[in-house]
């Protein structure tokens, strides 16, 4: 009911775009006509998703502010509240962070004071304005339509830069998203006008960390002229005129009316050779660091094609992805025969397990692609440590390159400082079904699956003695790790397992090695905008759990407990969530508003969060509390 009321109000709010107490006081400022559709005519905006900054974001801000010697920074602390300590801390932090001495704090909650010439004096020479986070409505109450508001715009007109994170991001839009005095859970509230540095826009923050990615969809559907921008933590967009560029550690999300209603070009950027592109089947899509977007024409600005030895890659057209929606997928959720594997080798016998998905013993590390130091350290620990680890590398997915096989083994030796690393490679099922071939696996404590094409691994090992030997490693308490193709192969249903390419979701190979039972695993998730690909499949497969992994993200699975490790996100696709029967407010910490709650068919888990695969629920993280305090056991 609350959602319905919110979106009934959207149509009125878009026309009004006013804040309840502001229009009656100072006269509205006059904004000069601009040739740009959204971005500033001059100057730069840096809009940060909150959760802190990164060195790249800080360096860009200092550069645009004039450098260490010439920067004159004005800090706006209204969003924090009235704490003098906070205001002082903001200035001191910026001085220390940037090595800039000329930092002035402006703070008021009086529209009369904000409308005075004396108050705006520091802004007349400012090269940069820094908006603190907190509550965006406080900033609107203090400055909207005043001389100070005009002075902010004048900083841009002189070629300066405005930066803000969290509430300092949302206030830069023309429509003030989450601007209600009751709290940020109210999307369209009692304050709906932002400062409008980015025209015809609504800006959300903490996006993936707090699972807010679906919140802007209906708003933009009802507001065709608006652009929606969602920013994850420690991620920013740099906007200069109508060009937006992503900088930072995570992702920016674009909400465009045409994409939402299905009339946009969802295949935005393609590099066929590397299959590294921005293409989404959903109402929004992700941009990663370095990608640019044309706000005026609503399209991604293609990156220059990668070159290989000085030669541009071939630009063959990418085969259109077969639509999953509408197919009867239930018939293919049971493992199917993988090329010649069933024809020549008898299926192995899997012992009955008490677990629903995870291994009875041992551990799985499943990565989206790329392993952070933390992931490698966990693998080494679970494999027995430097002295006891006995690693077997499986390179079938990478093809027949001997150089690549040797490089993988040598790399693991160097990384861990261990000698006991063996490479196993074949594409012959008879060899994989021999006792001699599996000898190295009998004492292995860890197995590493190389990336490449997952169907190569299925063709080489499915239902053989080697396959059983992999399971035996787990039964002895060992660990199996793999990224990219080495992730997908660990599921029971083999996703993107077609010989023609990974753009075919359900292909001619559909049986994985099944270390994670009743599962389907996707990888490179956000980097390649694959987040909607698993939805319809899991919607037709109630017994399966879908897991999507972004690059540099991994999950550790022990029995039926899944934990996210690495630097990005894991997505969970559960039948009940997809069909609307699940509890979407999975983890809530009301005090910190730091939770996993999604209005969509999937939700994200971040580093440190755990998930109960058997009962399909997030395992609560203990709530943060002030240092030195003890929670009341009687409190609910």
């Amino acid at each position: 009911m609350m959602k319905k009321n919110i979106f009934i109000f959207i149509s009125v709010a878009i026309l009004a775009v006013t804040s309840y107490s502001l229009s009656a006081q100072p006269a509205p400022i006059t904004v000069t006509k601009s040739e740009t559709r959204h971005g500033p005519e001059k100057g730069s905006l840096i809009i940060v998703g909150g959760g802190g900054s990164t060195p790249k974001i800080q360096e860009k801000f200092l550069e645009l502010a004039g450098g260490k010697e010439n920067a004159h920074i004005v800090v706006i602390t209204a969003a924090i509240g009235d704490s003098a300590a906070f205001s002082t801390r903001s200035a001191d932090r910026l001085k220390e962070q940037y090595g800039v001495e000329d930092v002035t704090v402006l703070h008021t909650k009086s529209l009369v004071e904000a409308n005075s010439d004396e108050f705006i004096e520091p802004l007349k020479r400012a090269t940069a304005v820094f908006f603190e986070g907190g509550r965006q409505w406080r900033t609107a109450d203090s400055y909207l339509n005043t001389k100070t508001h005009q002075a902010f715009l004048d900083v841009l007109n002189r070629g300066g830069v405005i930066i803000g994170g969290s509430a300092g991001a949302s206030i830069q839009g023309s429509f003030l998203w989450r601007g209600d005095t009751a709290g940020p859970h109210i999307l369209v509230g009692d304050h709906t006008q932002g400062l409008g540095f980015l025209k015809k826009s609504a800006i959300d923050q903490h996006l993936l960390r707090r699972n807010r990615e679906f919140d802007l969809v209906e708003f933009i559907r009802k507001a065709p002229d608006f652009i929606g921008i969602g920013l994850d933590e420690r991620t920013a967009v740099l906007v200069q005129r109508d060009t937006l560029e992503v900088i930072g550690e995570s992702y920016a999300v674009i909400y465009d009316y045409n994409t939402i209603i299905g009339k946009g070009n969802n295949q935005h950027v393609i590099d066929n050779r590397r299959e590294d592109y921005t293409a989404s089947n959903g109402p929004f899509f992700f941009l990663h660091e370095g990608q640019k977007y044309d706000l005026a024409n609503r399209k991604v600005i293609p990156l220059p094609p990668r070159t290989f030895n000085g030669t541009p890659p071939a630009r063959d057209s990418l085969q259109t992805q077969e639509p999953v929606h509408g197919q009867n997928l239930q018939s293919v959720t049971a493992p199917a025969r993988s090329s010649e594997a069933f024809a020549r080798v008898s299926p192995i016998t899997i012992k009955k397990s008490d677990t629903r998905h995870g291994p009875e013993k041992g551990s799985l590390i499943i990565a989206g692609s790329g392993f952070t130091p933390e992931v490698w350290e966990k693998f080494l620990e679970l494999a027995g440590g430097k002295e006891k680890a006995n690693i077997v590398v499986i390179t079938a997915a990478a093809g027949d390159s001997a150089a690549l096989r040797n490089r993988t083994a040598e790399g693991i030796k160097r990384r861990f400082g261990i000698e006991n690393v063996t490479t196993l490679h074949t594409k012959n099922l008879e060899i994989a079904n021999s006792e001699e071939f599996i000898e190295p696996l009998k004492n292995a404590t860890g197995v590493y699956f190389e990336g490449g094409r997952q169907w190569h691994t299925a063709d080489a090992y499915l239902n053989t003695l080697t396959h059983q030997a992999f399971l035996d490693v787990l039964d002895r308490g060992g660990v199996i790790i793999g990224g990219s193709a080495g992730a997908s192969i660990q599921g029971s249903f083999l996703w993107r397992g077609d010989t023609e390419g990974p753009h075919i979701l359900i292909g001619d190979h559909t049986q994985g090695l099944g270390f994670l039972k009743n599962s389907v695993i996707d990888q490179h998730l956000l980097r390649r905008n694959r987040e909607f690909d698993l939805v319809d499949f899991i919607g037709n497969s109630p017994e399966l759990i879908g897991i999507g992994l972004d690059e540099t993200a991994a999950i550790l699975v022990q029995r039926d407990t899944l934990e996210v490790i690495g630097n990005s996100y894991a997505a969970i696709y559960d039948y009940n969530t997809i069909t609307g029967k699940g509890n979407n407010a999975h983890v809530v910490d009301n005090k910190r508003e730091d939770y996993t709650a999604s209005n969509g068919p999937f939700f994200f888990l971040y580093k440190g969060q755990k998930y109960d695969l058997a009962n399909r629920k997030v395992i609560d993280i203990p709530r943060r509390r002030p240092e030195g305090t003890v929670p009341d056991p009687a409190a609910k």
Side-chain angles (χ1 to χ4, degrees):
M1 186 55 124
M2 186 180 79
K3 274 190 194 178
K4 184 177 179 182
N5 291 338
I6 285 171
F7 291 116
I8 288 173
F9 181 56
I10 282 176
S11 300
V12 177
I14 291 167
L15 293 173
V17 195
T18 56
S19 291
Y20 75 107
S21 65
L22 300 174
S23 58
Q25 298 191 42
I29 61 174
T30 301
V31 179
T32 55
K33 187 176 180 182
S34 171
E35 294 177 2
T36 62
R37 183 175 180 186
H38 295 284
E41 184 77 20
K42 298 177 181 177
S44 306
L45 305 176
I46 299 178
I47 309 171
V48 189
S53 189
T54 69
K56 280 189 178 180
I57 296 171
Q58 293 166 9
E59 288 166 12
K60 179 57 70 173
F61 172 62
L62 184 59
E63 173 196 328
L64 294 170
K68 196 176 293 187
E69 303 301 323
N70 299 313
H72 308 295
I73 302 173
V74 173
V75 184
I76 306 299
T77 56
I80 301 175
D82 285 329
S83 168
F86 273 131
S87 298
T88 303
R89 191 179 70 185
S90 296
D92 291 343
R93 188 184 77 242
L94 286 178
K95 287 179 181 180
E96 181 181 351
Q97 198 170 63
Y98 295 105
V100 174
E101 281 303 314
D102 193 346
V103 179
T104 304
V105 173
L106 281 187
H107 183 83
T108 187
K109 59 180 181 180
S110 165
L111 285 166
V112 174
E113 186 175 13
N115 219 29
S116 69
D117 289 326
E118 182 182 3
F119 186 80
I120 67 172
E121 196 62 33
L123 286 164
K124 291 180 179 178
R125 60 190 296 273
T127 62
V129 182
F130 184 103
F131 282 86
E132 276 284 10
R135 288 288 179 259
Q136 44 265 51
W137 61 267
R138 292 185 183 131
T139 306
D141 268 358
S142 296
Y143 299 115
L144 194 61
N145 301 323
T146 65
K147 287 184 177 180
T148 306
H149 188 176
Q150 182 60 60
F152 297 149
L153 295 168
D154 291 343
V155 172
L156 291 175
N157 288 333
R158 294 194 301 269
V161 58
I162 290 177
I163 190 173
S166 191
S170 293
I171 196 65
Q172 296 189 52
S174 57
F175 189 94
L176 192 59
W177 194 242
R178 302 187 191 276
D180 198 274
T181 51
H185 58 287
I186 298 176
L187 307 182
V188 179
D190 49 23
H191 293 63
T192 55
Q193 186 178 352
L195 296 179
F197 308 141
L198 189 66
K199 299 183 293 294
K200 294 182 179 179
S201 71
I203 301 168
D204 206 356
Q205 10 78 2
H206 303 282
L207 203 80
L208 302 178
R209 180 79 172 191
R210 299 187 185 178
N211 274 282
R212 294 173 166 180
E213 60 278 354
F214 288 92
D215 290 351
L216 269 169
V217 172
E218 291 306 316
F219 180 85
I220 298 299
R221 190 193 302 275
K222 294 176 184 292
D225 273 350
F226 277 60
I227 190 79
I229 298 172
L231 295 160
D232 195 29
E233 296 187 356
R234 295 178 62 80
T235 305
V237 291
L238 168 64
V239 182
Q240 294 173 312
R241 293 184 63 84
D242 273 326
T243 297
L244 173 157
E245 180 181 355
V246 181
I247 50 179
E249 293 180 354
S250 189
Y251 294 88
V253 182
I254 301 296
Y255 302 84
D256 167 44
Y257 175 77
N258 288 321
T259 304
I260 288 170
I261 65 171
K263 292 183 178 178
N265 174 19
N266 288 336
Q267 208 154 274
H268 300 278
V269 175
I270 300 173
D271 178 342
N272 294 320
R273 179 117 179 222
R274 290 293 297 273
E275 297 154 18
D276 191 7
Y277 52 88
T278 300
S280 173
N281 297 319
F284 50 80
F285 59 91
F286 293 86
L287 297 176
H288 54 75
E289 183 173 55
Q291 284 194 302
K292 295 182 179 181
Y293 185 73
D294 180 342
L295 291 162
N297 297 299
R298 305 290 179 90
K299 64 181 181 181
V300 176
I301 299 170
L303 299 173
R306 292 180 178 86
T307 58
F308 301 85
N309 298 323
T311 305
R315 304 299 294 174
D316 299 332
S317 59
L318 186 70
Q319 182 173 339
T320 304
Q321 176 179 292
E322 292 295 325
V324 178
H325 184 72
Q327 292 186 14
N328 178 14
L329 304 180
Q330 189 65 51
S331 61
V332 294
T333 57
R337 300 189 175 192
S338 177
S339 73
E340 56 183 315
F342 270 76
R344 298 175 58 187
V345 182
S346 298
I348 60 174
T349 302
I350 307 292
K351 301 174 189 174
K352 187 176 180 182
S353 171
D354 291 334
T355 63
R356 183 175 179 185
H357 295 283
E360 185 78 20
K361 299 177 182 177
S363 306
L364 305 175
I365 298 178
I366 308 171
S369 176
F371 303 89
T372 64
E374 175 192 6
V375 173
W376 279 117
E377 288 165 12
K378 178 58 71 173
F379 174 60
L380 179 59
E381 172 196 329
L382 294 169
K386 191 179 295 188
E387 302 302 323
K388 297 180 180 178
N390 186 334
I391 310 299
V392 174
V393 180
I394 306 299
T395 57
D400 286 329
S401 168
L404 180 61
R405 296 201 298 273
N406 295 333
R407 187 180 69 191
T408 302
E410 290 303 315
I412 291 176
K413 288 179 182 180
R414 286 195 306 271
R415 178 178 292 275
F416 294 134
I418 59 176
E419 285 300 318
N420 205 350
V421 182
T422 305
T423 297
L424 282 186
H425 183 85
T426 187
K427 57 182 181 180
N428 186 310
L429 283 166
E430 291 181 2
I431 293 175
N433 217 29
S434 68
E435 291 286 348
E436 182 182 2
F437 185 79
I438 68 170
E439 194 63 34
L441 286 164
K442 292 180 179 177
N443 296 310
T445 61
V447 180
Y448 173 90
F449 281 86
E450 185 64 89
R453 288 288 178 260
Q454 43 265 53
W455 62 268
H456 283 308
T457 306
D459 270 359
Y461 298 116
L462 195 61
N463 302 318
T464 65
L465 288 176
T466 306
H467 187 176
Q468 181 62 61
F470 297 149
L471 295 168
D472 292 342
V473 172
L474 293 175
D475 284 341
R476 294 195 302 269
V479 56
I480 291 176
I481 189 172
S484 190
S488 296
I489 196 65
Q490 296 190 53
S492 57
F493 187 94
L494 191 60
W495 196 241
R496 303 186 191 276
D498 198 274
T499 51
E500 289 192 20
H503 57 285
I504 299 175
L505 306 183
I506 299 172
D508 49 22
H509 293 66
T510 55
Q511 186 179 353
L513 295 178
F515 307 141
L516 189 65
K517 302 183 292 294
N518 301 315
S519 74
V520 54
I521 301 167
D522 205 358
Q523 6 80 355
H524 305 281
L525 197 78
L526 303 179
R527 183 79 173 189
R528 299 189 185 178
N529 273 284
R530 294 173 166 180
E531 61 278 355
F532 288 92
D533 289 352
L534 273 170
V535 172
D536 284 330
F537 181 81
I538 296 298
N540 284 282
S541 310
E543 287 303 310
L544 297 188
I545 190 79
I547 298 170
L549 295 161
D550 193 32
E551 296 184 2
T552 75
I555 55 172
L556 167 65
V557 182
Q558 294 172 314
R559 295 185 62 83
D560 272 325
T561 297
L562 174 159
E563 179 181 358
V564 180
I565 54 179
N567 289 340
S568 193
Y569 294 89
I572 301 295
Y573 301 82
D574 167 41
Y575 173 80
N576 290 320
T577 303
I578 289 169
T579 58
K581 297 176 182 176
N583 174 18
N584 288 335
H586 299 279
V587 173
V588 179
D589 181 342
N590 294 319
K591 190 166 185 180
R592 290 293 300 268
E593 296 154 21
D594 192 7
Y595 51 87
T596 301
S598 173
N599 297 320
F602 52 83
F603 59 91
F604 293 105
L605 299 176
Y606 55 81
K607 181 178 177 178
Q609 283 195 302
K610 295 183 179 181
Y611 185 72
D612 181 341
L613 290 162
N615 296 299
R616 305 288 178 93
K617 64 180 183 181
V618 175
I619 298 169
D620 288 0
I621 296 175
R623 295 187 179 186
R624 300 176 181 87
R625 58 182 182 273
E627 190 175 346
T629 63
V630 179
D632 180 359
K636 293 183 179 179

mmCIF file of all heavy atoms in Angstrom, residues 9 55 105 134 168 207 232 290 302 321 354 395 433 508 515 518 535-536 545 603 614 617:
data_model
loop_
_atom_site.group_PDB
_atom_site.id
_atom_site.type_symbol
_atom_site.label_atom_id
_atom_site.label_comp_id
_atom_site.label_asym_id
_atom_site.label_seq_id
_atom_site.Cartn_x
_atom_site.Cartn_y
_atom_site.Cartn_z
ATOM 1 N N PHE A 9 1.868 9.674 -5.900
ATOM 2 C CA PHE A 9 2.364 11.005 -5.633
ATOM 3 C C PHE A 9 3.432 11.457 -6.621
ATOM 4 O O PHE A 9 3.645 12.654 -6.813
ATOM 5 C CB PHE A 9 2.929 11.049 -4.209
ATOM 6 C CG PHE A 9 3.466 12.399 -3.790
ATOM 7 C CD1 PHE A 9 2.662 13.519 -3.838
ATOM 8 C CD2 PHE A 9 4.776 12.529 -3.365
ATOM 9 C CE1 PHE A 9 3.151 14.750 -3.446
ATOM 10 C CE2 PHE A 9 5.271 13.753 -2.983
ATOM 11 C CZ PHE A 9 4.448 14.871 -3.020
ATOM 12 N N PRO A 55 41.374 7.246 -3.867
ATOM 13 C CA PRO A 55 42.439 8.153 -4.318
ATOM 14 C C PRO A 55 42.166 8.782 -5.681
ATOM 15 O O PRO A 55 42.445 9.969 -5.890
ATOM 16 C CB PRO A 55 43.666 7.234 -4.343
ATOM 17 C CG PRO A 55 43.383 6.202 -3.294
ATOM 18 C CD PRO A 55 41.915 5.960 -3.388
ATOM 19 N N VAL A 105 34.357 26.664 6.034
ATOM 20 C CA VAL A 105 33.083 25.991 6.283
ATOM 21 C C VAL A 105 31.970 27.026 6.286
ATOM 22 O O VAL A 105 32.056 28.055 6.976
ATOM 23 C CB VAL A 105 33.099 25.236 7.630
ATOM 24 C CG1 VAL A 105 31.705 24.693 7.964
ATOM 25 C CG2 VAL A 105 34.104 24.097 7.588
ATOM 26 N N GLY A 134 24.713 13.307 4.951
ATOM 27 C CA GLY A 134 23.817 13.408 6.103
ATOM 28 C C GLY A 134 22.385 13.230 5.641
ATOM 29 O O GLY A 134 21.992 12.149 5.196
ATOM 30 N N GLY A 168 25.112 14.484 -0.175
ATOM 31 C CA GLY A 168 25.765 15.476 -1.023
ATOM 32 C C GLY A 168 25.751 15.101 -2.487
ATOM 33 O O GLY A 168 26.112 15.916 -3.347
ATOM 34 N N LEU A 207 23.951 2.444 -3.567
ATOM 35 C CA LEU A 207 22.976 1.702 -4.357
ATOM 36 C C LEU A 207 23.053 0.191 -4.177
ATOM 37 O O LEU A 207 22.085 -0.441 -3.751
ATOM 38 C CB LEU A 207 23.122 2.056 -5.840
ATOM 39 C CG LEU A 207 21.838 1.791 -6.617
ATOM 40 C CD1 LEU A 207 20.847 2.910 -6.419
ATOM 41 C CD2 LEU A 207 22.114 1.592 -8.087
ATOM 42 N N ASP A 232 26.915 3.380 -6.469
ATOM 43 C CA ASP A 232 27.319 2.547 -5.349
ATOM 44 C C ASP A 232 28.357 3.285 -4.514
ATOM 45 O O ASP A 232 28.886 4.328 -4.912
ATOM 46 C CB ASP A 232 27.883 1.216 -5.844
ATOM 47 C CG ASP A 232 27.962 0.185 -4.731
ATOM 48 O OD1 ASP A 232 27.137 0.256 -3.794
ATOM 49 O OD2 ASP A 232 28.830 -0.686 -4.780
ATOM 50 N N GLY A 290 35.848 4.125 -15.932
ATOM 51 C CA GLY A 290 36.407 4.432 -17.251
ATOM 52 C C GLY A 290 35.360 4.541 -18.334
ATOM 53 O O GLY A 290 35.616 5.154 -19.381
ATOM 54 N N PRO A 302 31.227 4.631 -26.767
ATOM 55 C CA PRO A 302 32.078 3.441 -26.888
ATOM 56 C C PRO A 302 33.533 3.749 -26.587
ATOM 57 O O PRO A 302 34.058 4.790 -26.977
ATOM 58 C CB PRO A 302 31.891 3.008 -28.339
ATOM 59 C CG PRO A 302 30.608 3.642 -28.772
ATOM 60 C CD PRO A 302 30.525 4.927 -28.006
ATOM 61 N N GLN A 321 21.487 -12.856 -28.615
ATOM 62 C CA GLN A 321 21.217 -13.818 -27.545
ATOM 63 C C GLN A 321 19.813 -14.385 -27.678
ATOM 64 O O GLN A 321 18.847 -13.658 -27.891
ATOM 65 C CB GLN A 321 21.354 -13.090 -26.206
ATOM 66 C CG GLN A 321 21.009 -13.935 -25.024
ATOM 67 C CD GLN A 321 21.195 -13.125 -23.765
ATOM 68 O OE1 GLN A 321 22.294 -12.775 -23.406
ATOM 69 N NE2 GLN A 321 20.117 -12.848 -23.093
ATOM 70 N N ASP A 354 23.405 -34.667 3.461
ATOM 71 C CA ASP A 354 22.464 -33.967 4.339
ATOM 72 C C ASP A 354 22.281 -32.517 3.938
ATOM 73 O O ASP A 354 21.390 -31.831 4.435
ATOM 74 C CB ASP A 354 22.956 -34.013 5.796
ATOM 75 C CG ASP A 354 22.879 -35.414 6.379
ATOM 76 O OD1 ASP A 354 22.045 -36.201 5.906
ATOM 77 O OD2 ASP A 354 23.666 -35.702 7.299
ATOM 78 N N THR A 395 43.247 -27.524 -16.285
ATOM 79 C CA THR A 395 43.368 -26.488 -17.322
ATOM 80 C C THR A 395 42.526 -26.759 -18.571
ATOM 81 O O THR A 395 42.684 -26.072 -19.574
ATOM 82 C CB THR A 395 44.841 -26.343 -17.741
ATOM 83 O OG1 THR A 395 45.329 -27.610 -18.194
ATOM 84 C CG2 THR A 395 45.691 -25.845 -16.594
ATOM 85 N N ASN A 433 39.264 -41.332 -17.314
ATOM 86 C CA ASN A 433 38.636 -42.449 -16.608
ATOM 87 C C ASN A 433 39.658 -43.509 -16.192
ATOM 88 O O ASN A 433 39.284 -44.619 -15.831
ATOM 89 C CB ASN A 433 37.575 -43.078 -17.515
ATOM 90 C CG ASN A 433 36.352 -43.533 -16.732
ATOM 91 O OD1 ASN A 433 36.029 -42.972 -15.698
ATOM 92 N ND2 ASN A 433 35.688 -44.555 -17.231
ATOM 93 N N ASP A 508 24.394 -26.504 -25.685
ATOM 94 C CA ASP A 508 24.499 -27.937 -25.957
ATOM 95 C C ASP A 508 25.208 -28.696 -24.825
ATOM 96 O O ASP A 508 25.374 -29.906 -24.905
ATOM 97 C CB ASP A 508 25.204 -28.170 -27.299
ATOM 98 C CG ASP A 508 26.503 -27.387 -27.439
ATOM 99 O OD1 ASP A 508 27.085 -27.012 -26.399
ATOM 100 O OD2 ASP A 508 26.937 -27.155 -28.582
ATOM 101 N N PHE A 515 29.525 -29.657 -7.815
ATOM 102 C CA PHE A 515 30.051 -29.522 -6.454
ATOM 103 C C PHE A 515 29.062 -28.734 -5.592
ATOM 104 O O PHE A 515 28.906 -29.003 -4.402
ATOM 105 C CB PHE A 515 31.404 -28.810 -6.467
ATOM 106 C CG PHE A 515 32.415 -29.420 -7.394
ATOM 107 C CD1 PHE A 515 33.277 -28.626 -8.136
ATOM 108 C CD2 PHE A 515 32.522 -30.806 -7.544
ATOM 109 C CE1 PHE A 515 34.213 -29.175 -8.996
ATOM 110 C CE2 PHE A 515 33.451 -31.375 -8.400
ATOM 111 C CZ PHE A 515 34.297 -30.552 -9.128
ATOM 112 N N ASN A 518 22.105 -28.611 -7.059
ATOM 113 C CA ASN A 518 20.877 -27.873 -7.352
ATOM 114 C C ASN A 518 21.162 -26.376 -7.543
ATOM 115 O O ASN A 518 20.528 -25.523 -6.927
ATOM 116 C CB ASN A 518 19.856 -28.055 -6.220
ATOM 117 C CG ASN A 518 19.488 -29.505 -6.008
ATOM 118 O OD1 ASN A 518 19.245 -30.236 -6.964
ATOM 119 N ND2 ASN A 518 19.469 -29.930 -4.757
ATOM 120 N N VAL A 535 17.090 -14.647 -14.281
ATOM 121 C CA VAL A 535 15.796 -14.460 -13.612
ATOM 122 C C VAL A 535 14.739 -15.444 -14.095
ATOM 123 O O VAL A 535 14.118 -16.164 -13.301
ATOM 124 C CB VAL A 535 15.301 -13.007 -13.784
ATOM 125 C CG1 VAL A 535 13.872 -12.865 -13.266
ATOM 126 C CG2 VAL A 535 16.227 -12.041 -13.051
ATOM 127 N N ASP A 536 14.482 -15.494 -15.401
ATOM 128 C CA ASP A 536 13.415 -16.365 -15.901
ATOM 129 C C ASP A 536 13.755 -17.840 -15.724
ATOM 130 O O ASP A 536 12.861 -18.668 -15.516
ATOM 131 C CB ASP A 536 13.122 -16.066 -17.371
ATOM 132 C CG ASP A 536 12.310 -14.788 -17.532
ATOM 133 O OD1 ASP A 536 11.530 -14.472 -16.624
ATOM 134 O OD2 ASP A 536 12.468 -14.101 -18.549
ATOM 135 N N ILE A 545 19.048 -22.922 -6.980
ATOM 136 C CA ILE A 545 19.455 -21.606 -6.503
ATOM 137 C C ILE A 545 20.351 -21.009 -7.574
ATOM 138 O O ILE A 545 21.212 -21.692 -8.144
ATOM 139 C CB ILE A 545 20.196 -21.697 -5.149
ATOM 140 C CG1 ILE A 545 20.400 -20.293 -4.542
ATOM 141 C CG2 ILE A 545 21.545 -22.398 -5.264
ATOM 142 C CD1 ILE A 545 19.212 -19.730 -3.872
ATOM 143 N N PHE A 603 18.824 -10.023 -5.363
ATOM 144 C CA PHE A 603 19.398 -9.059 -4.433
ATOM 145 C C PHE A 603 20.885 -9.342 -4.295
ATOM 146 O O PHE A 603 21.367 -10.424 -4.633
ATOM 147 C CB PHE A 603 18.696 -9.094 -3.073
ATOM 148 C CG PHE A 603 18.744 -10.423 -2.377
ATOM 149 C CD1 PHE A 603 19.765 -10.736 -1.494
ATOM 150 C CD2 PHE A 603 17.757 -11.379 -2.608
ATOM 151 C CE1 PHE A 603 19.816 -11.975 -0.857
ATOM 152 C CE2 PHE A 603 17.791 -12.613 -1.973
ATOM 153 C CZ PHE A 603 18.822 -12.912 -1.098
ATOM 154 N N ALA A 614 20.282 -23.576 2.503
ATOM 155 C CA ALA A 614 19.239 -24.568 2.769
ATOM 156 C C ALA A 614 17.890 -23.905 3.007
ATOM 157 O O ALA A 614 16.857 -24.354 2.502
ATOM 158 C CB ALA A 614 19.629 -25.419 3.972
ATOM 159 N N LYS A 617 17.827 -17.824 3.160
ATOM 160 C CA LYS A 617 17.724 -16.556 3.881
ATOM 161 C C LYS A 617 19.114 -16.038 4.234
ATOM 162 O O LYS A 617 20.061 -16.811 4.412
ATOM 163 C CB LYS A 617 16.885 -16.708 5.151
ATOM 164 C CG LYS A 617 17.471 -17.624 6.202
ATOM 165 C CD LYS A 617 16.565 -17.697 7.423
ATOM 166 C CE LYS A 617 17.191 -18.567 8.523
ATOM 167 N NZ LYS A 617 16.316 -18.655 9.690
#
